[in-house]
mmCIF file of all heavy atoms in Angstrom:
data_model
loop_
_atom_site.group_PDB
_atom_site.id
_atom_site.type_symbol
_atom_site.label_atom_id
_atom_site.label_comp_id
_atom_site.label_asym_id
_atom_site.label_seq_id
_atom_site.Cartn_x
_atom_site.Cartn_y
_atom_site.Cartn_z
ATOM 1 N N LEU T 180 35.081 33.995 69.333
ATOM 2 C CA LEU T 180 35.925 33.673 70.484
ATOM 3 C C LEU T 180 36.008 32.160 70.626
ATOM 4 O O LEU T 180 34.987 31.478 70.711
ATOM 5 C CB LEU T 180 35.365 34.314 71.763
ATOM 6 C CG LEU T 180 36.313 34.407 72.965
ATOM 7 C CD1 LEU T 180 35.851 35.515 73.911
ATOM 8 C CD2 LEU T 180 36.390 33.100 73.751
ATOM 9 N N GLY T 181 37.235 31.639 70.655
ATOM 10 C CA GLY T 181 37.456 30.213 70.835
ATOM 11 C C GLY T 181 37.504 29.872 72.314
ATOM 12 O O GLY T 181 38.480 30.186 73.005
ATOM 13 N N LEU T 182 36.456 29.251 72.805
ATOM 14 C CA LEU T 182 36.373 28.903 74.222
ATOM 15 C C LEU T 182 37.258 27.717 74.565
ATOM 16 O O LEU T 182 37.497 26.840 73.738
ATOM 17 C CB LEU T 182 34.932 28.544 74.588
ATOM 18 C CG LEU T 182 33.874 29.639 74.506
ATOM 19 C CD1 LEU T 182 32.502 29.024 74.732
ATOM 20 C CD2 LEU T 182 34.151 30.733 75.534
ATOM 21 N N ARG T 183 37.710 27.694 75.803
ATOM 22 C CA ARG T 183 38.351 26.506 76.367
ATOM 23 C C ARG T 183 37.335 25.765 77.219
ATOM 24 O O ARG T 183 36.465 26.374 77.844
ATOM 25 C CB ARG T 183 39.534 26.907 77.247
ATOM 26 C CG ARG T 183 40.672 27.537 76.482
ATOM 27 C CD ARG T 183 41.617 28.249 77.420
ATOM 28 N NE ARG T 183 41.049 29.507 77.911
ATOM 29 C CZ ARG T 183 41.683 30.338 78.718
ATOM 30 N NH1 ARG T 183 42.888 30.034 79.146
ATOM 31 N NH2 ARG T 183 41.121 31.466 79.093
ATOM 32 N N GLY T 184 37.431 24.468 77.258
ATOM 33 C CA GLY T 184 36.576 23.719 78.164
ATOM 34 C C GLY T 184 37.033 23.872 79.600
ATOM 35 O O GLY T 184 38.161 24.309 79.874
ATOM 36 N N SER T 185 36.161 23.499 80.515
ATOM 37 C CA SER T 185 36.512 23.645 81.929
ATOM 38 C C SER T 185 37.679 22.741 82.315
ATOM 39 O O SER T 185 38.353 22.982 83.318
ATOM 40 C CB SER T 185 35.294 23.326 82.806
ATOM 41 O OG SER T 185 34.838 22.007 82.557
ATOM 42 N N GLU T 186 37.966 21.700 81.494
ATOM 43 C CA GLU T 186 39.100 20.838 81.818
ATOM 44 C C GLU T 186 40.425 21.563 81.625
ATOM 45 O O GLU T 186 41.445 21.196 82.222
ATOM 46 C CB GLU T 186 39.080 19.569 80.950
ATOM 47 C CG GLU T 186 39.296 19.791 79.463
ATOM 48 C CD GLU T 186 38.034 20.149 78.719
ATOM 49 O OE1 GLU T 186 36.995 20.410 79.381
ATOM 50 O OE2 GLU T 186 38.059 20.169 77.485
ATOM 51 N N ASP T 187 40.454 22.603 80.780
ATOM 52 C CA ASP T 187 41.662 23.398 80.582
ATOM 53 C C ASP T 187 41.761 24.552 81.572
ATOM 54 O O ASP T 187 42.856 25.022 81.865
ATOM 55 C CB ASP T 187 41.697 23.979 79.162
ATOM 56 C CG ASP T 187 42.141 22.957 78.140
ATOM 57 O OD1 ASP T 187 42.793 21.980 78.536
ATOM 58 O OD2 ASP T 187 41.837 23.141 76.958
ATOM 59 N N THR T 188 40.625 25.031 82.022
ATOM 60 C CA THR T 188 40.621 26.202 82.905
ATOM 61 C C THR T 188 39.754 25.901 84.118
ATOM 62 O O THR T 188 40.125 25.166 84.998
ATOM 63 C CB THR T 188 40.101 27.431 82.137
ATOM 64 O OG1 THR T 188 38.818 27.119 81.574
ATOM 65 C CG2 THR T 188 41.043 27.819 81.014
ATOM 66 N N SER T 189 38.582 26.489 84.154
ATOM 67 C CA SER T 189 37.600 26.243 85.204
ATOM 68 C C SER T 189 36.255 26.700 84.665
ATOM 69 O O SER T 189 36.180 27.419 83.658
ATOM 70 C CB SER T 189 37.944 27.029 86.471
ATOM 71 O OG SER T 189 37.815 28.421 86.217
ATOM 72 N N MET T 190 35.199 26.296 85.319
ATOM 73 C CA MET T 190 33.877 26.735 84.895
ATOM 74 C C MET T 190 33.744 28.245 85.054
ATOM 75 O O MET T 190 33.043 28.904 84.272
ATOM 76 C CB MET T 190 32.801 26.000 85.695
ATOM 77 C CG MET T 190 31.483 25.897 84.979
ATOM 78 S SD MET T 190 31.543 24.988 83.406
ATOM 79 C CE MET T 190 31.611 23.288 83.960
ATOM 80 N N ASP T 191 34.432 28.814 86.030
ATOM 81 C CA ASP T 191 34.404 30.275 86.190
ATOM 82 C C ASP T 191 35.027 30.972 84.983
ATOM 83 O O ASP T 191 34.542 32.026 84.545
ATOM 84 C CB ASP T 191 35.145 30.692 87.464
ATOM 85 C CG ASP T 191 34.384 30.329 88.732
ATOM 86 O OD1 ASP T 191 33.158 30.092 88.646
ATOM 87 O OD2 ASP T 191 35.012 30.292 89.810
ATOM 88 N N THR T 192 36.097 30.379 84.446
ATOM 89 C CA THR T 192 36.741 30.963 83.275
ATOM 90 C C THR T 192 35.823 30.874 82.060
ATOM 91 O O THR T 192 35.704 31.829 81.280
ATOM 92 C CB THR T 192 38.067 30.254 82.972
ATOM 93 O OG1 THR T 192 38.928 30.395 84.095
ATOM 94 C CG2 THR T 192 38.737 30.853 81.746
ATOM 95 N N VAL T 193 35.164 29.747 81.893
ATOM 96 C CA VAL T 193 34.216 29.610 80.790
ATOM 97 C C VAL T 193 33.123 30.668 80.911
ATOM 98 O O VAL T 193 32.754 31.321 79.925
ATOM 99 C CB VAL T 193 33.597 28.195 80.766
ATOM 100 C CG1 VAL T 193 32.545 28.090 79.659
ATOM 101 C CG2 VAL T 193 34.675 27.137 80.570
ATOM 102 N N ALA T 194 32.613 30.846 82.101
ATOM 103 C CA ALA T 194 31.557 31.841 82.320
ATOM 104 C C ALA T 194 32.065 33.243 81.994
ATOM 105 O O ALA T 194 31.354 34.042 81.364
ATOM 106 C CB ALA T 194 31.059 31.770 83.760
ATOM 107 N N ARG T 195 33.290 33.551 82.427
ATOM 108 C CA ARG T 195 33.840 34.883 82.162
ATOM 109 C C ARG T 195 34.015 35.117 80.670
ATOM 110 O O ARG T 195 33.724 36.198 80.155
ATOM 111 C CB ARG T 195 35.172 35.053 82.892
ATOM 112 C CG ARG T 195 35.696 36.498 82.830
ATOM 113 C CD ARG T 195 37.049 36.668 83.476
ATOM 114 N NE ARG T 195 38.114 36.086 82.672
ATOM 115 C CZ ARG T 195 38.827 35.034 83.038
ATOM 116 N NH1 ARG T 195 38.587 34.425 84.179
ATOM 117 N NH2 ARG T 195 39.791 34.570 82.254
ATOM 118 N N GLU T 196 34.500 34.092 79.954
ATOM 119 C CA GLU T 196 34.734 34.267 78.522
ATOM 120 C C GLU T 196 33.422 34.371 77.751
ATOM 121 O O GLU T 196 33.326 35.111 76.772
ATOM 122 C CB GLU T 196 35.614 33.132 77.999
ATOM 123 C CG GLU T 196 37.035 33.215 78.538
ATOM 124 C CD GLU T 196 37.982 32.200 77.919
ATOM 125 O OE1 GLU T 196 37.510 31.265 77.223
ATOM 126 O OE2 GLU T 196 39.202 32.338 78.134
ATOM 127 N N LEU T 197 32.397 33.649 78.183
ATOM 128 C CA LEU T 197 31.084 33.796 77.553
ATOM 129 C C LEU T 197 30.518 35.195 77.804
ATOM 130 O O LEU T 197 29.897 35.791 76.914
ATOM 131 C CB LEU T 197 30.123 32.739 78.083
ATOM 132 C CG LEU T 197 30.263 31.337 77.485
ATOM 133 C CD1 LEU T 197 29.446 30.338 78.292
ATOM 134 C CD2 LEU T 197 29.829 31.330 76.024
ATOM 135 N N LYS T 198 30.731 35.712 78.998
ATOM 136 C CA LYS T 198 30.279 37.067 79.294
ATOM 137 C C LYS T 198 31.015 38.077 78.422
ATOM 138 O O LYS T 198 30.411 39.026 77.888
ATOM 139 C CB LYS T 198 30.509 37.372 80.782
ATOM 140 C CG LYS T 198 30.023 38.757 81.205
ATOM 141 C CD LYS T 198 30.248 38.980 82.700
ATOM 142 C CE LYS T 198 29.778 40.374 83.116
ATOM 143 N NZ LYS T 198 30.017 40.609 84.575
ATOM 144 N N LEU T 199 32.318 37.878 78.250
ATOM 145 C CA LEU T 199 33.101 38.766 77.396
ATOM 146 C C LEU T 199 32.607 38.703 75.957
ATOM 147 O O LEU T 199 32.456 39.731 75.288
ATOM 148 C CB LEU T 199 34.581 38.367 77.466
ATOM 149 C CG LEU T 199 35.537 39.126 76.535
ATOM 150 C CD1 LEU T 199 35.596 40.602 76.902
ATOM 151 C CD2 LEU T 199 36.934 38.503 76.595
ATOM 152 N N ALA T 200 32.341 37.493 75.473
ATOM 153 C CA ALA T 200 31.854 37.335 74.105
ATOM 154 C C ALA T 200 30.527 38.055 73.912
ATOM 155 O O ALA T 200 30.313 38.727 72.890
ATOM 156 C CB ALA T 200 31.711 35.849 73.773
ATOM 157 N N ALA T 201 29.639 37.930 74.881
ATOM 158 C CA ALA T 201 28.341 38.606 74.778
ATOM 159 C C ALA T 201 28.520 40.119 74.769
ATOM 160 O O ALA T 201 27.862 40.835 73.998
ATOM 161 C CB ALA T 201 27.444 38.182 75.942
ATOM 162 N N GLU T 202 29.430 40.602 75.606
ATOM 163 C CA GLU T 202 29.689 42.047 75.655
ATOM 164 C C GLU T 202 30.203 42.563 74.317
ATOM 165 O O GLU T 202 29.817 43.653 73.858
ATOM 166 C CB GLU T 202 30.713 42.342 76.747
ATOM 167 C CG GLU T 202 31.137 43.804 76.809
ATOM 168 C CD GLU T 202 32.358 44.011 77.687
ATOM 169 O OE1 GLU T 202 32.602 43.169 78.589
ATOM 170 O OE2 GLU T 202 33.087 45.004 77.459
#
Side-chain angles (χ1 to χ4, degrees):
L180 196 157
L182 295 173
R183 294 164 286 182
S185 59
E186 66 275 10
D187 281 338
T188 54
S189 66
M190 206 61 77
D191 288 341
T192 300
V193 177
R195 189 183 73 247
E196 291 187 348
L197 281 169
K198 182 179 179 181
L199 175 64
E202 175 192 336

